Amino acid sequence: MATPKKNQPEAAGTAGQQQGDEPWSLAQQCGALLGSAAGQISDALQALQSGVDRLQAQGRLDKQEQWALSVPLERIKRLTVVMQQLQRFHAGHIRQSHERLDLAELAEACLQERRKEFALIGVDMRRKLRPVEVLIDPTVTHAFFNALVDWALPLGRRIDVRVDVNDWPPHARLQVRVHGEESPSSRTPELDNIDWALVRQIAASVGGIELQRRVTPEGITAVAMFQRTVQAIDGMSAIDISEDPSSAFKTLQNIYALVVSPSLQIRADVREALREIGVNADSVVDLDQAREVAAHRMPGIVVIDSTLKGPAFEQFRRGLLREAMDMPFVEISSDDTSFDMSGFGEFSMAKVGRGNIRESLGTAVMFELAKTI
């Protein structure tokens, strides 16, 4: 049997170095390498910034040259911060103090802090935030939300941020959906970048956050479920039908519905049922007309005749969902007595039978709207 080679004297004794015959794994060294690389980049960045400051003080840089240099400097600076955060969370160098925190308030505060940045880079940041409390560390959650936004920013020019409660299990849900001019599937290789690595690492460090990511024709969506939700808010509480019908009526007066059916009778019945609950409506006979109407005024809910369902309707629906990520739909079914609320899936629809419109459509519409208001 061969005798193992002894370590050479000059190779031993240096702190942080592996001995030559010891097993080595990149995965094991990832955290240390991130910290080392971030430190080296930071030092080089400081030297570069000092040089730029000297040139600027000497008047040797005009405004255009200053701007041209400031953009890559800021990008390098942000990359350094992300690497440092990634190393810190990976190493477990965080102290958490779990508190009751309104996730919607935190999201709004973070978005307000960065509103000038969004305007500068031309990003349309939309939000729909429902109050829901979670038990979590505020500082870590702030870092998590900003990491999600940083991941989304390069992927598209419009970003929808939504905070609500998942149907089941009733966990607080944070959704970030990106819309861009390119096909979402063409951006897939860009998704697993260092910002997404930071999002995943923070979620793993905090615990109790379930991450999902999906690419659909509507856009690229990241979803975070917070398992430590303090209180699940009943969707119907947004429009409390049972306790104060007059309050529900006033709320619904601001809602605009689009009715699509080739049947004159169905259009009339649906408009009458909607009028009884205070919802204004326009009606059209086909999807081409519906598309024209929606281009001028986006509806709050769409009531669709089942005879129009098919590939053309799915294309129409996806177009609306790109503009309003939680647009509810109600189908008028050929089965006179049918009545079903929408399920848990994003693309499920409530269903009301043709013979049941006057009796049940109002309830179905109020329920669907309650989940989005």
Side-chain angles (χ1 to χ4, degrees):
M1 181 179 293
T3 304
K5 294 181 180 179
K6 295 182 179 180
N7 297 320
Q8 299 298 323
E10 63 271 17
T14 303
Q17 289 188 348
Q18 294 268 344
Q19 298 299 321
D21 57 354
E22 291 181 358
W24 186 89
S25 167
L26 179 59
Q28 293 177 352
Q29 298 299 313
C30 179
L33 289 173
L34 275 172
S36 175
Q40 292 180 50
I41 294 174
S42 180
D43 291 342
L45 183 63
Q46 289 181 11
L48 181 58
Q49 185 68 63
S50 297
V52 171
D53 291 343
R54 284 196 300 271
L55 290 173
Q56 186 175 349
Q58 295 168 5
R60 297 168 63 182
L61 290 177
D62 59 30
K63 290 184 177 180
Q64 186 174 0
E65 291 170 333
Q66 292 175 25
W67 181 85
L69 288 171
S70 68
V71 172
L73 282 172
E74 286 301 319
R75 288 177 179 172
I76 297 171
K77 189 180 299 182
R78 197 192 72 80
L79 178 62
T80 305
V81 171
V82 172
M83 293 173 67
Q84 291 170 338
Q85 285 185 308
L86 191 55
Q87 188 274 337
R88 177 168 165 258
F89 280 101
H90 179 269
H93 297 160
I94 58 172
R95 301 178 66 179
Q96 297 188 57
S97 176
H98 288 186
E99 303 174 14
R100 289 177 66 136
L101 171 71
D102 188 324
L103 193 59
E105 286 185 2
L106 180 136
E108 179 62 29
C110 291
L111 293 175
Q112 287 296 328
E113 288 171 4
R114 304 180 63 173
R115 65 184 186 280
K116 292 183 179 179
E117 174 192 352
F118 302 147
L120 183 64
I121 63 179
V123 169
D124 181 12
M125 186 70 69
R126 305 185 185 185
R127 75 266 279 161
K128 179 164 285 190
L129 310 175
R130 286 185 55 191
V132 54
E133 289 188 327
V134 293
L135 192 63
I136 202 165
D137 182 271
T139 302
V140 174
T141 311
H142 187 279
F144 177 75
F145 181 82
N146 276 314
L148 261 178
V149 171
D150 287 334
W151 166 78
L153 284 176
L155 299 175
R157 297 276 64 85
R158 204 193 94 197
I159 300 174
D160 292 328
V161 177
R162 176 175 174 178
V163 173
D164 60 9
V165 179
N166 189 44
D167 292 307
W168 189 262
H171 294 155
R173 176 173 58 184
L174 168 62
Q175 296 186 72
V176 177
R177 177 178 289 174
V178 186
H179 307 266
E181 295 180 358
E182 300 179 43
S183 168
S185 59
S186 69
R187 310 302 299 267
T188 302
E190 306 172 36
L191 302 185
D192 291 314
N193 53 23
I194 192 168
D195 291 303
W196 184 251
L198 179 59
V199 171
R200 295 188 64 176
Q201 185 59 60
I202 295 177
S205 301
V206 172
I209 300 179
E210 179 186 344
L211 270 178
Q212 302 172 3
R213 195 180 69 193
R214 55 181 178 266
V215 178
T216 68
E218 287 70 53
I220 301 165
T221 305
V223 181
M225 298 285 192
F226 292 77
Q227 298 171 1
R228 303 189 188 104
T229 300
V230 176
Q231 180 181 5
I233 302 175
D234 185 357
M236 292 300 290
S237 66
I239 304 177
D240 197 333
I241 300 171
S242 60
E243 294 184 10
D244 189 358
S246 63
S247 174
F249 185 87
K250 292 176 183 177
T251 303
L252 291 169
Q253 283 182 321
N254 298 321
I255 299 296
Y256 161 66
L258 179 58
V259 182
V260 191
S261 172
S263 167
L264 176 61
Q265 186 62 53
I266 289 178
R267 296 198 303 272
D269 289 345
V270 170
R271 286 199 307 270
E272 179 61 24
L274 294 175
R275 187 189 63 79
E276 291 177 358
I277 61 170
V279 173
N280 296 316
D282 282 337
S283 60
V284 295
V285 300
D286 57 33
L287 293 170
D288 289 335
Q289 291 184 3
R291 197 173 288 108
E292 291 178 7
V293 171
H296 291 90
R297 184 183 183 187
M298 181 62 63
I301 188 168
V302 174
V303 181
I304 182 80
D305 193 322
S306 62
T307 60
L308 296 176
K309 290 181 65 179
F313 167 68
E314 291 303 323
Q315 184 180 10
F316 167 73
R317 187 182 189 187
R318 291 182 187 281
L320 291 187
L321 288 172
R322 277 193 289 269
E323 296 300 319
M325 62 187 296
D326 56 357
M327 172 75 69
F329 288 76
V330 178
E331 174 188 345
I332 303 300
S333 170
S334 57
D335 180 359
D336 284 347
T337 60
S338 64
F339 178 70
D340 297 298
M341 297 299 187
S342 61
F344 300 139
E346 182 179 5
F347 299 108
S348 63
M349 285 193 294
K351 184 182 298 185
V352 175
R354 291 184 179 184
N356 224 9
I357 293 175
R358 293 294 181 91
E359 292 77 16
S360 303
L361 181 63
T363 301
V365 166
M366 294 177 80
F367 182 82
E368 297 304 312
L369 289 172
K371 296 192 294 183
T372 65
I373 293 176

